[in-house]
Amino acid sequence: MQNEPWQISAEIEVTIPFHDVDMMAVAWHGHYFRYIELARCALLDLIDYNYPQMEASGYLWPIIDTRMKYLAPLRFGQRVRVRATLTEYQNRLKIDYLLSDAASGTRTSKGYSIQVAVSKASGEMCLASPQVLLDKLGVSQ
């Protein structure tokens, strides 16, 4: 299946640090959200619409839903590839994530996050993505 022109991905690598693991040397499940946040920011940098640019454009983009499915544990010292892919943009930002062992390519977890635009001035949620996002993605409404 061919990706849409706006369907972009960013990939980062993370080495699981000692302070993220438990006594069994396995990364605590909550830290995975920090790893995907790093990949999400790398993705948003690609379209020049990371959190400072979002706020400057008059919109805040809180996360309203997120999910992570754990397939295999991440361990201390492991190099992990984290890929973030924008999969929806029209009424929300949906970003899918895939975490895999950098050496073997084995998938370790997958998930997604959903964000919506909120007017900074009024605090109201927007029912459609603002024009500034569409412009950054090079799509017309």
Side-chain angles (χ1 to χ4, degrees), residues 35-100:
Y35 310 147
I36 68 172
E37 177 72 27
L38 294 169
R40 179 172 46 248
C41 286
L43 175 70
L44 296 172
D45 280 341
L46 289 177
I47 62 170
D48 191 33
Y49 199 55
N50 210 330
Y51 295 108
Q53 293 87 0
M54 289 174 173
E55 186 176 8
S57 73
Y59 298 96
L60 307 174
W61 288 82
I63 292 176
I64 61 164
D65 190 12
T66 189
R67 179 169 198 261
M68 184 63 60
K69 183 172 183 176
Y70 305 95
L71 307 171
L74 298 179
R75 300 192 178 274
F76 170 61
Q78 183 177 8
R79 291 282 304 156
V80 179
R81 190 169 294 122
V82 185
R83 185 175 67 218
T85 303
L86 178 65
T87 56
E88 293 181 34
Y89 71 88
Q90 292 170 322
N91 300 316
R92 62 191 189 168
L93 280 179
K94 183 175 184 214
I95 301 173
D96 289 343
Y97 305 97
L98 178 64
L99 287 77
S100 56

Side-chain angles (χ1 to χ4, degrees), residues 3-62:
N3 285 347
E4 298 291 334
W6 54 265
Q7 197 171 24
I8 57 171
S9 293
E11 198 169 271
I12 63 163
E13 283 195 11
V14 178
T15 300
I16 304 304
F18 179 73
H19 61 264
D20 281 3
V21 301
D22 59 21
M23 61 188 292
M24 296 176 292
V26 172
W28 178 63
H29 68 277
H31 291 308
Y32 287 57
F33 293 97
R34 194 168 34 164
Y35 310 147
I36 68 172
E37 177 72 27
L38 294 169
R40 179 172 46 248
C41 286
L43 175 70
L44 296 172
D45 280 341
L46 289 177
I47 62 170
D48 191 33
Y49 199 55
N50 210 330
Y51 295 108
Q53 293 87 0
M54 289 174 173
E55 186 176 8
S57 73
Y59 298 96
L60 307 174
W61 288 82

Side-chain angles (χ1 to χ4, degrees), residues 80-132:
V80 179
R81 190 169 294 122
V82 185
R83 185 175 67 218
T85 303
L86 178 65
T87 56
E88 293 181 34
Y89 71 88
Q90 292 170 322
N91 300 316
R92 62 191 189 168
L93 280 179
K94 183 175 184 214
I95 301 173
D96 289 343
Y97 305 97
L98 178 64
L99 287 77
S100 56
D101 180 80
S104 68
T106 302
R107 293 177 178 194
T108 62
S109 31
K110 61 182 181 176
Y112 65 81
S113 64
I114 297 173
Q115 297 170 258
V116 294
V118 172
S119 168
K120 185 178 173 183
S122 70
E124 292 186 26
M125 185 174 77
C126 302
L127 299 178
S129 292
Q131 187 63 45
V132 63

